[in-house]
Amino acid sequence: MGTLDTGDTAWMLISTALVMFMTPGLALFYGGLVRSKNVLSTIMHSFIMLGIGTIVWVLVGYSLAFGPDKFGLIGDLSMFGLKGVGMAPAEGSTIPEILFMAFQMMFAIITPALITGAFAERMKFSSYAVFMVAWLVLVYSPVAHWVWGGGWIMQLGALDFAGGTVVHINAAVAALVAAIVIGKRKGFGKEAMHPHNLPMTILGAAILWFGWFGFNAGSALAANGLAAIAFVVTHIATAMGALGWILAEKLKTGKPTTLGAASGAVAGLVAITPAAGFVGPIASIAIGFIAGILCYLAVGLKFKLGYDDSLDVVGVHGVGGIVGAILTGVFATVAINEAGANGLLYGGMDLFVKQLIAIGATIGYSFIMSFIILKAIKAVMGLRVSEEEEINGLDLSLHSENGYALGGFSSGTLEHTVAATQTAPSFAVKTAPASE
Amino acid sequence: MKKIEAIIKPFKLDDVKNALSGIGIQGLTVSEVQGFGRQKGHTEVYRGAEYKVDFVPKTKLEILVDDGMVSQVVDTLTEAAKTGKIGDGKIFIYPVDDAIRIRTGERGVDAL
């Protein structure tokens, strides 16, 4: 048993709440990027992960990721339903184990939510829910175990401070697979599919930036100097990501955009995530700036390669995650964190190779498992809504709601007030009484 | 000169625009409208309360053409906007007295 530290516990309670806030932030970030007829279904994909992720994590996820190690691959089920996870700190820890569980739970919630950007505007809600449960159990929990829970990547000595591989590369690879297996949106590459509300997207990006201080600085698991340096380098890299992206944009198309600034900030956040507790401020300038530029160049590739990663999960989280994981292997130094290692710049060839192994293993495992899960769901229940539902918009087709009630025409007439009433999905032709 | 006014399904707008460009139509005006015909509206549910929304979103096109073009435009429009399902819309044709291009003062067919 470790000894409880009140300062550490206070900071980790706050960090946990900060990371929780990232998921609704992501909901707004993604929600603004889709067409107005799909704003609610897209927000729902993130928001309801707070429900799905929580129950999966409490029942089995935490045990699979952080339970006693089996073969370096996965935890066992001895902590099913949080059995034995209590107020006392675990060995070597200074915070209640139940708090560590909650902090990790917020990561398990946002990671699958990141994937949803790849299949926005066309996936069936039921299939989405099944995919998320399966992916959390079969992909996220094992990979979290490998990197943080005492598994083989941790034993190998690769560094991932706050989740560059576990969260971002893992989610982005699943996103790529999902975009390919589910297929393009109707009209992709031909029709205009503009973001419908960029102020909402930018507010979402700002909430992500804010919450990420908990994500990265909280990953120190203590209120100490390491948390402070992680906090500062996170902020610097994010700022540089925004600048890098709009500079690249300015040079390539002549105009800096607000969506570019928001996207570059997220790219910077993603890239600094694995490095946050291992690099200094100057390194974080390079990491954020490089990620901003490379992610900008990467998001255009989907049109050339012909897959519809609708909200650029691969371009931002995949490329940003890989850039961050590789640059961790370049810029990491034991001068910042004794528990870390030296990167290429400080003569550490070893670490660089280990980083590449961790990246490759995560990509391979996530790709294969996500593919199998999605193919299985496709065979059993299908993945896509009908063409008519897609055209009418998922908000109305799947949720019987409208994101925006602007103008007086569509207010309609009250029919029933009983929740149990059978609802008619999509534009079902229903002989209605006159509207008066 | 005639004004051809068409109410169509919104997602058919691109197909219709491309088809009309294909037969040499130089310009048209589009607006988002709502209304109902035989196609009834849809249901929305908020906290269990079910609302019947009668007005369906539609797109209205207005195209001005010389008399000789009318049947070709109507045929092209009908073909491009048709899904065969209820709610495909309607086309109305009106006579037009005159047209003026504001920049040059040209009148009649020259102004189109």
Side-chain angles (χ1 to χ4, degrees), chain A residues 191 388 391 396 400-402 409-419 421-424 426-433 435, chain B residues 9-12 14-15 32-34 36 38-57 85-86:
Chain A
E191 289 169 24
E388 191 183 2
I391 288 165
L396 210 48
S400 282
E401 291 172 298
N402 231 323
F409 291 136
S410 56
S411 43
T413 46
L414 182 62
E415 291 256 300
H416 305 283
T417 51
V418 189
T421 312
Q422 195 63 33
T423 60
S426 88
F427 279 79
V429 180
K430 210 168 141 182
T431 41
S435 59
Chain B
K9 288 188 164 169
F11 76 92
K12 278 289 184 184
D14 274 341
D15 293 345
E32 291 179 11
V33 295
Q34 297 182 49
F36 71 89
R38 287 186 202 174
Q39 180 192 12
K40 296 303 176 197
H42 59 270
T43 304
E44 296 179 15
V45 183
Y46 299 97
R47 291 188 173 161
E50 193 176 308
Y51 297 86
K52 183 82 189 67
V53 178
D54 300 303
F55 296 115
V56 182
K85 289 190 194 135
I86 199 162

Short mmCIF file of all heavy atoms in Angstrom, two decimals, chain A residues 191 388 391 396 400-402 409-419 421-424 426-433 435, chain B residues 9-12 14-15 32-34 36 38-57 85-86:
data_model
loop_
_atom_site.label_atom_id
_atom_site.label_comp_id
_atom_site.label_asym_id
_atom_site.label_seq_id
_atom_site.Cartn_x
_atom_site.Cartn_y
_atom_site.Cartn_z
N GLU A 191 -20.46 16.34 -53.92
CA GLU A 191 -21.24 17.43 -53.31
C GLU A 191 -20.41 18.19 -52.29
O GLU A 191 -19.47 17.65 -51.71
CB GLU A 191 -22.45 16.84 -52.56
CG GLU A 191 -23.52 16.28 -53.46
CD GLU A 191 -24.54 15.48 -52.67
OE1 GLU A 191 -24.69 15.74 -51.46
OE2 GLU A 191 -25.16 14.60 -53.27
N GLU A 388 -32.21 6.56 -47.84
CA GLU A 388 -33.22 7.60 -47.57
C GLU A 388 -32.95 8.27 -46.21
O GLU A 388 -33.04 9.49 -46.07
CB GLU A 388 -34.61 6.97 -47.59
CG GLU A 388 -35.71 8.02 -47.57
CD GLU A 388 -37.10 7.41 -47.52
OE1 GLU A 388 -37.21 6.18 -47.46
OE2 GLU A 388 -38.06 8.19 -47.53
N ILE A 391 -30.04 10.64 -46.57
CA ILE A 391 -30.41 11.87 -47.28
C ILE A 391 -31.21 12.79 -46.37
O ILE A 391 -30.98 14.00 -46.32
CB ILE A 391 -31.22 11.53 -48.54
CG1 ILE A 391 -30.29 10.92 -49.60
CG2 ILE A 391 -31.91 12.76 -49.10
CD1 ILE A 391 -31.01 10.21 -50.71
N LEU A 396 -33.07 13.42 -37.71
CA LEU A 396 -34.48 13.10 -37.83
C LEU A 396 -34.69 11.59 -37.97
O LEU A 396 -35.55 11.00 -37.32
CB LEU A 396 -35.04 13.82 -39.06
CG LEU A 396 -36.49 14.23 -39.04
CD1 LEU A 396 -36.84 14.94 -37.74
CD2 LEU A 396 -36.75 15.17 -40.22
N SER A 400 -35.31 11.38 -34.25
CA SER A 400 -36.57 12.16 -34.30
C SER A 400 -36.43 13.56 -33.71
O SER A 400 -37.30 14.04 -33.00
CB SER A 400 -37.70 11.42 -33.54
OG SER A 400 -38.19 10.38 -34.34
N GLU A 401 -35.30 14.18 -33.99
CA GLU A 401 -35.06 15.52 -33.46
C GLU A 401 -34.46 16.40 -34.55
O GLU A 401 -33.95 15.92 -35.54
CB GLU A 401 -34.05 15.47 -32.30
CG GLU A 401 -34.54 14.81 -31.05
CD GLU A 401 -33.40 14.65 -30.06
OE1 GLU A 401 -32.43 13.94 -30.37
OE2 GLU A 401 -33.47 15.24 -28.99
N ASN A 402 -34.51 17.69 -34.30
CA ASN A 402 -33.94 18.69 -35.17
C ASN A 402 -32.97 19.53 -34.36
O ASN A 402 -33.32 19.99 -33.28
CB ASN A 402 -35.07 19.60 -35.67
CG ASN A 402 -35.04 19.74 -37.15
OD1 ASN A 402 -33.96 19.81 -37.74
ND2 ASN A 402 -36.21 19.78 -37.75
N PHE A 409 -41.91 28.16 -39.19
CA PHE A 409 -42.69 27.21 -39.98
C PHE A 409 -42.81 25.84 -39.37
O PHE A 409 -43.86 25.23 -39.38
CB PHE A 409 -42.07 27.04 -41.36
CG PHE A 409 -42.18 28.25 -42.21
CD1 PHE A 409 -41.08 28.69 -42.95
CD2 PHE A 409 -43.35 28.97 -42.27
CE1 PHE A 409 -41.18 29.80 -43.74
CE2 PHE A 409 -43.45 30.09 -43.06
CZ PHE A 409 -42.36 30.52 -43.80
N SER A 410 -41.70 25.33 -38.86
CA SER A 410 -41.65 23.90 -38.59
C SER A 410 -42.00 23.54 -37.16
O SER A 410 -41.70 22.46 -36.69
CB SER A 410 -40.25 23.37 -38.92
OG SER A 410 -39.30 24.10 -38.18
N SER A 411 -42.65 24.46 -36.43
CA SER A 411 -42.91 24.17 -35.03
C SER A 411 -43.89 23.03 -34.85
O SER A 411 -43.82 22.29 -33.88
CB SER A 411 -43.40 25.42 -34.31
OG SER A 411 -44.34 26.08 -35.11
N GLY A 412 -44.83 22.84 -35.78
CA GLY A 412 -45.68 21.66 -35.76
C GLY A 412 -46.76 21.68 -34.70
O GLY A 412 -46.98 22.68 -34.01
N THR A 413 -47.44 20.54 -34.58
CA THR A 413 -48.53 20.45 -33.60
C THR A 413 -48.25 19.28 -32.66
O THR A 413 -47.70 18.27 -33.06
CB THR A 413 -49.86 20.19 -34.31
OG1 THR A 413 -49.65 19.15 -35.28
CG2 THR A 413 -50.37 21.43 -35.00
N LEU A 414 -48.64 19.45 -31.40
CA LEU A 414 -48.42 18.41 -30.40
C LEU A 414 -49.40 17.26 -30.63
O LEU A 414 -50.60 17.47 -30.73
CB LEU A 414 -48.61 19.01 -29.01
CG LEU A 414 -48.36 18.06 -27.84
CD1 LEU A 414 -46.91 17.58 -27.83
CD2 LEU A 414 -48.66 18.76 -26.52
N GLU A 415 -48.85 16.06 -30.73
CA GLU A 415 -49.70 14.91 -30.99
C GLU A 415 -49.93 14.08 -29.73
O GLU A 415 -51.04 13.74 -29.39
CB GLU A 415 -49.04 14.01 -32.04
CG GLU A 415 -49.00 14.62 -33.41
CD GLU A 415 -50.05 14.01 -34.30
OE1 GLU A 415 -49.97 12.78 -34.50
OE2 GLU A 415 -50.93 14.73 -34.78
N HIS A 416 -48.85 13.69 -29.09
CA HIS A 416 -48.94 12.85 -27.89
C HIS A 416 -47.94 13.36 -26.88
O HIS A 416 -46.94 13.94 -27.25
CB HIS A 416 -48.56 11.40 -28.21
CG HIS A 416 -49.36 10.81 -29.31
ND1 HIS A 416 -50.65 10.39 -29.15
CD2 HIS A 416 -49.05 10.58 -30.60
CE1 HIS A 416 -51.11 9.93 -30.30
NE2 HIS A 416 -50.15 10.02 -31.20
N THR A 417 -48.21 13.08 -25.63
CA THR A 417 -47.21 13.45 -24.63
C THR A 417 -46.73 12.24 -23.86
O THR A 417 -46.03 12.36 -22.88
CB THR A 417 -47.78 14.47 -23.63
OG1 THR A 417 -49.00 13.95 -23.13
CG2 THR A 417 -48.00 15.81 -24.29
N VAL A 418 -47.10 11.05 -24.32
CA VAL A 418 -46.68 9.85 -23.61
C VAL A 418 -45.39 9.31 -24.23
O VAL A 418 -45.34 9.07 -25.43
CB VAL A 418 -47.76 8.76 -23.67
CG1 VAL A 418 -47.42 7.61 -22.75
CG2 VAL A 418 -49.11 9.37 -23.32
N ALA A 419 -44.38 9.13 -23.42
CA ALA A 419 -43.10 8.69 -23.93
C ALA A 419 -43.22 7.33 -24.59
O ALA A 419 -42.45 6.98 -25.48
CB ALA A 419 -42.08 8.64 -22.81
N THR A 421 -45.33 6.21 -26.60
CA THR A 421 -45.93 6.19 -27.93
C THR A 421 -44.94 5.67 -28.96
O THR A 421 -43.78 6.03 -28.94
CB THR A 421 -46.35 7.61 -28.34
OG1 THR A 421 -47.05 8.19 -27.27
CG2 THR A 421 -47.21 7.58 -29.58
N GLN A 422 -45.45 4.85 -29.86
CA GLN A 422 -44.60 4.36 -30.94
C GLN A 422 -44.20 5.55 -31.81
O GLN A 422 -45.04 6.31 -32.26
CB GLN A 422 -45.40 3.34 -31.76
CG GLN A 422 -44.56 2.49 -32.68
CD GLN A 422 -43.58 1.62 -31.91
OE1 GLN A 422 -43.87 1.18 -30.81
NE2 GLN A 422 -42.41 1.41 -32.47
N THR A 423 -42.92 5.72 -32.04
CA THR A 423 -42.49 6.85 -32.86
C THR A 423 -42.26 6.39 -34.29
O THR A 423 -41.96 5.22 -34.53
CB THR A 423 -41.18 7.45 -32.34
OG1 THR A 423 -40.19 6.43 -32.38
CG2 THR A 423 -41.36 7.98 -30.94
N ALA A 424 -42.42 7.28 -35.21
CA ALA A 424 -42.23 6.96 -36.62
C ALA A 424 -40.89 7.51 -37.08
O ALA A 424 -40.71 8.71 -37.16
CB ALA A 424 -43.35 7.58 -37.44
N SER A 426 -37.70 8.41 -39.57
CA SER A 426 -37.54 9.00 -40.89
C SER A 426 -38.79 9.75 -41.34
O SER A 426 -39.66 10.08 -40.56
CB SER A 426 -37.11 7.95 -41.92
OG SER A 426 -38.22 7.31 -42.49
N PHE A 427 -38.89 10.00 -42.63
CA PHE A 427 -40.03 10.74 -43.14
C PHE A 427 -41.19 9.79 -43.43
O PHE A 427 -41.75 9.78 -44.51
CB PHE A 427 -39.64 11.47 -44.44
CG PHE A 427 -38.91 12.75 -44.21
CD1 PHE A 427 -37.56 12.73 -43.92
CD2 PHE A 427 -39.55 13.97 -44.30
CE1 PHE A 427 -36.86 13.89 -43.72
CE2 PHE A 427 -38.85 15.15 -44.11
CZ PHE A 427 -37.50 15.11 -43.82
N ALA A 428 -41.50 8.96 -42.46
CA ALA A 428 -42.57 8.00 -42.67
C ALA A 428 -43.84 8.74 -43.08
O ALA A 428 -44.21 9.73 -42.48
CB ALA A 428 -42.82 7.22 -41.41
N VAL A 429 -44.47 8.23 -44.13
CA VAL A 429 -45.69 8.89 -44.59
C VAL A 429 -46.82 8.49 -43.66
O VAL A 429 -47.19 7.33 -43.56
CB VAL A 429 -46.03 8.48 -46.03
CG1 VAL A 429 -47.29 9.17 -46.49
CG2 VAL A 429 -44.87 8.84 -46.94
N LYS A 430 -47.32 9.44 -42.94
CA LYS A 430 -48.31 9.14 -41.92
C LYS A 430 -49.48 10.05 -42.23
O LYS A 430 -49.31 11.25 -42.44
CB LYS A 430 -47.70 9.52 -40.57
CG LYS A 430 -48.18 8.71 -39.40
CD LYS A 430 -47.26 9.02 -38.22
CE LYS A 430 -48.03 9.09 -36.94
NZ LYS A 430 -47.20 9.44 -35.81
N THR A 431 -50.66 9.51 -42.35
CA THR A 431 -51.79 10.39 -42.65
C THR A 431 -52.11 11.18 -41.40
O THR A 431 -52.60 10.64 -40.41
CB THR A 431 -53.00 9.58 -43.12
OG1 THR A 431 -53.08 8.43 -42.30
CG2 THR A 431 -52.87 9.20 -44.57
N ALA A 432 -51.80 12.46 -41.47
CA ALA A 432 -51.94 13.29 -40.28
C ALA A 432 -53.22 14.10 -40.36
O ALA A 432 -53.68 14.42 -41.44
CB ALA A 432 -50.76 14.24 -40.20
N PRO A 433 -53.78 14.41 -39.22
CA PRO A 433 -54.91 15.33 -39.23
C PRO A 433 -54.44 16.71 -39.66
O PRO A 433 -53.25 16.99 -39.61
CB PRO A 433 -55.38 15.33 -37.78
CG PRO A 433 -54.22 14.84 -36.99
CD PRO A 433 -53.42 13.97 -37.87
N SER A 435 -53.35 20.49 -39.70
CA SER A 435 -52.46 21.04 -38.68
C SER A 435 -53.15 21.99 -37.72
O SER A 435 -52.62 22.28 -36.67
CB SER A 435 -51.28 21.74 -39.37
OG SER A 435 -51.79 22.76 -40.19
N LYS B 9 -37.16 18.17 -54.45
CA LYS B 9 -36.52 17.67 -53.24
C LYS B 9 -35.13 18.29 -53.12
O LYS B 9 -34.38 18.32 -54.10
CB LYS B 9 -36.39 16.14 -53.31
CG LYS B 9 -37.73 15.43 -53.15
CD LYS B 9 -37.57 13.93 -53.03
CE LYS B 9 -38.87 13.33 -52.49
NZ LYS B 9 -38.91 11.86 -52.57
N PRO B 10 -34.76 18.76 -51.92
CA PRO B 10 -33.50 19.50 -51.78
C PRO B 10 -32.26 18.73 -52.27
O PRO B 10 -31.40 19.31 -52.91
CB PRO B 10 -33.41 19.76 -50.28
CG PRO B 10 -34.83 19.77 -49.82
CD PRO B 10 -35.55 18.79 -50.68
N PHE B 11 -32.22 17.43 -52.04
CA PHE B 11 -30.99 16.71 -52.39
C PHE B 11 -30.87 16.49 -53.90
O PHE B 11 -29.84 16.04 -54.37
CB PHE B 11 -30.89 15.38 -51.64
CG PHE B 11 -31.78 14.29 -52.15
CD1 PHE B 11 -31.33 13.39 -53.10
CD2 PHE B 11 -33.08 14.16 -51.68
CE1 PHE B 11 -32.15 12.38 -53.57
CE2 PHE B 11 -33.91 13.16 -52.15
CZ PHE B 11 -33.44 12.27 -53.10
N LYS B 12 -31.93 16.86 -54.65
CA LYS B 12 -31.88 16.72 -56.11
C LYS B 12 -31.33 17.97 -56.78
O LYS B 12 -31.17 18.02 -58.00
CB LYS B 12 -33.28 16.41 -56.65
CG LYS B 12 -33.66 14.94 -56.54
CD LYS B 12 -32.84 14.15 -57.53
CE LYS B 12 -33.22 12.68 -57.57
NZ LYS B 12 -32.32 11.96 -58.48
N ASP B 14 -28.42 19.51 -56.96
CA ASP B 14 -27.19 19.42 -57.75
C ASP B 14 -27.41 18.73 -59.09
O ASP B 14 -26.92 19.18 -60.12
CB ASP B 14 -26.10 18.67 -56.96
CG ASP B 14 -25.34 19.62 -56.04
OD1 ASP B 14 -25.40 20.84 -56.29
OD2 ASP B 14 -24.71 19.13 -55.08
N ASP B 15 -28.18 17.62 -59.06
CA ASP B 15 -28.48 16.90 -60.30
C ASP B 15 -29.21 17.81 -61.28
O ASP B 15 -28.89 17.85 -62.47
CB ASP B 15 -29.37 15.67 -60.01
CG ASP B 15 -28.63 14.63 -59.19
OD1 ASP B 15 -27.38 14.73 -59.11
OD2 ASP B 15 -29.28 13.72 -58.65
N GLU B 32 -34.70 28.19 -50.31
CA GLU B 32 -35.15 27.12 -49.42
C GLU B 32 -36.56 27.46 -48.99
O GLU B 32 -36.81 28.56 -48.48
CB GLU B 32 -34.24 27.02 -48.20
CG GLU B 32 -32.85 26.52 -48.52
CD GLU B 32 -31.96 26.46 -47.29
OE1 GLU B 32 -32.48 26.60 -46.16
OE2 GLU B 32 -30.75 26.29 -47.47
N VAL B 33 -37.48 26.53 -49.19
CA VAL B 33 -38.87 26.79 -48.81
C VAL B 33 -39.41 25.60 -48.03
O VAL B 33 -38.78 24.56 -47.93
CB VAL B 33 -39.75 27.03 -50.06
CG1 VAL B 33 -39.32 28.29 -50.78
CG2 VAL B 33 -39.70 25.83 -51.00
N GLN B 34 -40.57 25.78 -47.43
CA GLN B 34 -41.24 24.69 -46.76
C GLN B 34 -42.70 24.67 -47.16
O GLN B 34 -43.27 25.71 -47.45
CB GLN B 34 -41.17 24.87 -45.24
CG GLN B 34 -39.76 24.84 -44.69
CD GLN B 34 -39.75 24.96 -43.19
OE1 GLN B 34 -40.47 24.28 -42.50
NE2 GLN B 34 -38.92 25.86 -42.68
N PHE B 36 -46.42 21.79 -47.93
CA PHE B 36 -46.88 20.41 -48.02
C PHE B 36 -47.78 20.21 -49.23
O PHE B 36 -48.43 21.15 -49.70
CB PHE B 36 -47.55 19.95 -46.74
CG PHE B 36 -48.91 20.56 -46.48
CD1 PHE B 36 -50.05 19.97 -46.97
CD2 PHE B 36 -49.01 21.72 -45.75
CE1 PHE B 36 -51.29 20.53 -46.72
CE2 PHE B 36 -50.24 22.29 -45.50
CZ PHE B 36 -51.39 21.70 -45.99
N ARG B 38 -49.06 16.27 -51.24
CA ARG B 38 -49.55 14.95 -50.83
C ARG B 38 -48.60 14.29 -49.83
O ARG B 38 -49.00 13.48 -49.02
CB ARG B 38 -49.69 14.05 -52.05
CG ARG B 38 -50.88 14.49 -52.87
CD ARG B 38 -51.12 13.54 -54.01
NE ARG B 38 -51.90 14.22 -55.04
CZ ARG B 38 -52.19 13.69 -56.21
NH1 ARG B 38 -51.76 12.49 -56.51
NH2 ARG B 38 -52.89 14.36 -57.08
N GLN B 39 -47.32 14.63 -49.95
CA GLN B 39 -46.34 14.08 -49.00
C GLN B 39 -46.57 14.76 -47.66
O GLN B 39 -46.56 15.97 -47.57
CB GLN B 39 -44.92 14.38 -49.48
CG GLN B 39 -43.85 13.85 -48.55
CD GLN B 39 -42.46 14.41 -48.90
OE1 GLN B 39 -42.32 15.34 -49.67
NE2 GLN B 39 -41.44 13.83 -48.30
N LYS B 40 -46.81 13.96 -46.64
CA LYS B 40 -47.04 14.56 -45.32
C LYS B 40 -45.70 14.76 -44.62
O LYS B 40 -44.66 14.30 -45.07
CB LYS B 40 -47.95 13.65 -44.50
CG LYS B 40 -49.35 13.52 -45.11
CD LYS B 40 -50.03 14.87 -45.29
CE LYS B 40 -51.37 14.72 -45.99
NZ LYS B 40 -51.85 16.01 -46.53
N GLY B 41 -45.74 15.43 -43.50
CA GLY B 41 -44.52 15.78 -42.78
C GLY B 41 -43.94 14.62 -41.98
O GLY B 41 -44.10 13.46 -42.34
N HIS B 42 -43.28 14.93 -40.92
CA HIS B 42 -42.61 13.92 -40.10
C HIS B 42 -42.89 14.19 -38.63
O HIS B 42 -43.50 15.19 -38.28
CB HIS B 42 -41.11 13.95 -40.37
CG HIS B 42 -40.49 15.27 -40.07
ND1 HIS B 42 -40.40 16.28 -41.01
CD2 HIS B 42 -39.99 15.77 -38.92
CE1 HIS B 42 -39.85 17.33 -40.45
NE2 HIS B 42 -39.59 17.06 -39.20
N THR B 43 -42.41 13.28 -37.79
CA THR B 43 -42.64 13.39 -36.36
C THR B 43 -41.34 13.71 -35.64
O THR B 43 -40.31 13.14 -35.95
CB THR B 43 -43.19 12.05 -35.83
OG1 THR B 43 -44.35 11.74 -36.58
CG2 THR B 43 -43.54 12.13 -34.37
N GLU B 44 -41.37 14.61 -34.70
CA GLU B 44 -40.22 14.86 -33.84
C GLU B 44 -40.63 14.62 -32.39
O GLU B 44 -41.79 14.82 -32.03
CB GLU B 44 -39.72 16.31 -34.01
CG GLU B 44 -39.20 16.56 -35.42
CD GLU B 44 -38.71 17.99 -35.64
OE1 GLU B 44 -38.51 18.71 -34.64
OE2 GLU B 44 -38.55 18.35 -36.80
N VAL B 45 -39.66 14.14 -31.59
CA VAL B 45 -39.99 13.80 -30.21
C VAL B 45 -39.03 14.51 -29.27
O VAL B 45 -37.81 14.41 -29.42
CB VAL B 45 -39.88 12.27 -29.97
CG1 VAL B 45 -40.29 11.93 -28.55
CG2 VAL B 45 -40.73 11.51 -30.97
N TYR B 46 -39.57 15.26 -28.33
CA TYR B 46 -38.74 15.93 -27.33
C TYR B 46 -39.22 15.57 -25.93
O TYR B 46 -40.33 15.91 -25.55
CB TYR B 46 -38.77 17.45 -27.55
CG TYR B 46 -38.24 17.83 -28.90
CD1 TYR B 46 -39.10 18.06 -29.96
CD2 TYR B 46 -36.86 17.87 -29.14
CE1 TYR B 46 -38.61 18.37 -31.23
CE2 TYR B 46 -36.36 18.16 -30.40
CZ TYR B 46 -37.25 18.42 -31.43
OH TYR B 46 -36.76 18.71 -32.69
N ARG B 47 -38.39 14.88 -25.18
CA ARG B 47 -38.74 14.40 -23.83
C ARG B 47 -40.10 13.71 -23.83
O ARG B 47 -40.95 13.99 -22.99
CB ARG B 47 -38.72 15.54 -22.84
CG ARG B 47 -37.32 16.03 -22.60
CD ARG B 47 -37.26 17.04 -21.49
NE ARG B 47 -35.87 17.36 -21.19
CZ ARG B 47 -35.49 18.45 -20.53
NH1 ARG B 47 -36.39 19.31 -20.11
NH2 ARG B 47 -34.23 18.66 -20.29
N GLY B 48 -40.32 12.86 -24.80
CA GLY B 48 -41.53 12.06 -24.83
C GLY B 48 -42.72 12.73 -25.48
O GLY B 48 -43.70 12.08 -25.80
N ALA B 49 -42.67 14.04 -25.66
CA ALA B 49 -43.77 14.73 -26.32
C ALA B 49 -43.57 14.65 -27.82
O ALA B 49 -42.51 15.03 -28.32
CB ALA B 49 -43.84 16.18 -25.87
N GLU B 50 -44.58 14.12 -28.51
CA GLU B 50 -44.43 13.88 -29.94
C GLU B 50 -45.07 15.01 -30.74
O GLU B 50 -46.21 15.36 -30.50
CB GLU B 50 -45.09 12.54 -30.27
CG GLU B 50 -44.76 12.02 -31.63
CD GLU B 50 -45.37 10.64 -31.83
OE1 GLU B 50 -45.16 9.74 -30.98
OE2 GLU B 50 -46.08 10.48 -32.83
N TYR B 51 -44.31 15.57 -31.66
CA TYR B 51 -44.83 16.68 -32.47
C TYR B 51 -44.93 16.26 -33.91
O TYR B 51 -44.02 15.64 -34.46
CB TYR B 51 -43.89 17.89 -32.37
CG TYR B 51 -43.80 18.44 -30.98
CD1 TYR B 51 -42.90 17.92 -30.06
CD2 TYR B 51 -44.63 19.48 -30.57
CE1 TYR B 51 -42.82 18.40 -28.77
CE2 TYR B 51 -44.56 19.98 -29.28
CZ TYR B 51 -43.66 19.44 -28.38
OH TYR B 51 -43.59 19.93 -27.11
N LYS B 52 -46.05 16.62 -34.53
CA LYS B 52 -46.23 16.35 -35.94
C LYS B 52 -45.82 17.61 -36.69
O LYS B 52 -46.40 18.68 -36.48
CB LYS B 52 -47.72 16.05 -36.20
CG LYS B 52 -48.03 15.68 -37.62
CD LYS B 52 -47.71 14.21 -37.87
CE LYS B 52 -47.82 13.88 -39.36
NZ LYS B 52 -46.80 14.53 -40.19
N VAL B 53 -44.79 17.50 -37.51
CA VAL B 53 -44.34 18.66 -38.29
C VAL B 53 -44.86 18.50 -39.71
O VAL B 53 -44.48 17.57 -40.42
CB VAL B 53 -42.80 18.76 -38.26
CG1 VAL B 53 -42.34 19.93 -39.12
CG2 VAL B 53 -42.32 18.92 -36.83
N ASP B 54 -45.77 19.40 -40.09
CA ASP B 54 -46.48 19.22 -41.36
C ASP B 54 -45.70 19.72 -42.56
O ASP B 54 -45.84 19.21 -43.65
CB ASP B 54 -47.83 19.95 -41.31
CG ASP B 54 -48.69 19.41 -40.18
OD1 ASP B 54 -48.94 18.20 -40.19
OD2 ASP B 54 -49.08 20.19 -39.29
N PHE B 55 -44.89 20.75 -42.36
CA PHE B 55 -44.21 21.35 -43.51
C PHE B 55 -42.89 20.64 -43.78
O PHE B 55 -42.07 20.46 -42.90
CB PHE B 55 -43.98 22.84 -43.26
CG PHE B 55 -45.28 23.60 -43.16
CD1 PHE B 55 -45.65 24.21 -41.98
CD2 PHE B 55 -46.14 23.65 -44.25
CE1 PHE B 55 -46.84 24.90 -41.88
CE2 PHE B 55 -47.34 24.34 -44.16
CZ PHE B 55 -47.70 24.95 -42.98
N VAL B 56 -42.75 20.27 -45.04
CA VAL B 56 -41.56 19.54 -45.47
C VAL B 56 -40.60 20.51 -46.14
O VAL B 56 -41.02 21.34 -46.94
CB VAL B 56 -41.98 18.44 -46.48
CG1 VAL B 56 -40.78 17.62 -46.91
CG2 VAL B 56 -43.07 17.57 -45.89
N PRO B 57 -39.29 20.42 -45.85
CA PRO B 57 -38.35 21.31 -46.53
C PRO B 57 -38.25 20.98 -48.02
O PRO B 57 -38.16 19.81 -48.39
CB PRO B 57 -37.01 21.03 -45.83
CG PRO B 57 -37.27 20.06 -44.75
CD PRO B 57 -38.65 19.54 -44.89
N LYS B 85 -40.88 8.65 -56.16
CA LYS B 85 -41.59 8.55 -54.88
C LYS B 85 -42.42 9.79 -54.63
O LYS B 85 -42.17 10.85 -55.21
CB LYS B 85 -40.59 8.37 -53.74
CG LYS B 85 -39.94 7.00 -53.74
CD LYS B 85 -39.16 6.79 -52.45
CE LYS B 85 -38.23 5.61 -52.57
NZ LYS B 85 -36.91 5.90 -52.04
N ILE B 86 -43.36 9.67 -53.73
CA ILE B 86 -44.21 10.81 -53.39
C ILE B 86 -43.34 11.95 -52.85
O ILE B 86 -42.35 11.71 -52.16
CB ILE B 86 -45.29 10.35 -52.38
CG1 ILE B 86 -46.45 11.33 -52.36
CG2 ILE B 86 -44.72 10.16 -50.99
CD1 ILE B 86 -47.70 10.73 -51.74
#
